Amino acid sequence: MKRSAFVSSLLAGALLLSACGKSESGSSSSGDSDAKSDGGAVKAAWIYVGPTNDGGWTTAHDNGRKAVEKALGDKVETTFKENVPEGPEVAQVIEDLVKDGNKIIFATSFGYGESIAELAPKYPDVKFEHATGIDTGENIATY
């Protein structure tokens, strides 16, 4: 349980840092939806390798996503995609999330790294957070 709280705090902190300097407000929502921002809330997305109810890695990350919603309220709007395979398939998911206006994307599996490294330069205004990753850059961080 302590690890879950740590992951939640880490994700909330990362999102808070990315949102600094913004004085926007809007609606918060959750779920695997189209997620269109009302009033300028920071749109954040999580990509999960498994189902949110796996009782482990993905559940812990989803608890972190929910903690971000609770901590930031209407300053953030979150969404997630679950059961996304590692490898090149994740690139299309990332493209779709960027197209939907997400400004920070948490890629929660090591196997998403190649797609993150490939796409991050294409989207310099989007922050990418990669769990257990090895690449960093202007808009890529690891946790």
Side-chain angles (χ1 to χ4, degrees):
M1 195 57 104
K2 288 182 182 181
R3 183 179 174 132
S4 178
F6 173 74
V7 170
S8 297
S9 297
L10 183 64
L11 294 175
L15 188 58
L16 281 169
L17 288 174
S18 74
C20 285
K22 297 191 186 268
S23 60
E24 303 167 345
S25 63
S27 302
S28 174
S29 71
S30 63
D32 193 28
S33 68
D34 230 0
K36 294 190 178 172
S37 181
D38 297 331
V42 174
K43 293 180 77 172
W46 279 254
I47 306 170
Y48 302 140
V49 72
T52 59
N53 65 352
D54 70 0
W57 184 258
T58 299
T59 297
H61 277 92
D62 201 51
N63 288 341
R65 180 188 64 79
K66 292 172 185 174
V68 166
E69 285 184 337
K70 184 175 181 180
L72 297 179
D74 65 357
K75 294 178 184 164
V76 65
E77 182 178 334
T78 74
T79 191
F80 64 90
K81 301 292 182 185
E82 60 186 334
N83 299 312
V84 178
E86 294 176 317
E89 296 90 346
V90 75
Q92 185 59 55
V93 172
I94 293 168
E95 293 274 6
D96 291 344
L97 290 169
V98 170
K99 183 179 167 185
D100 288 344
N102 289 284
K103 293 299 181 185
I104 184 166
I105 296 173
F106 293 90
T108 66
S109 179
F110 182 80
Y112 297 158
E114 286 184 30
S115 293
I116 293 291
E118 176 188 319
L119 292 173
K122 184 177 174 182
Y123 300 108
D125 294 335
V126 177
K127 304 231 185 281
F128 294 91
E129 297 284 336
H130 186 204
T132 70
I134 55 174
D135 288 324
T136 58
E138 290 295 317
N139 60 335
I140 304 173
T142 60
Y143 65 95

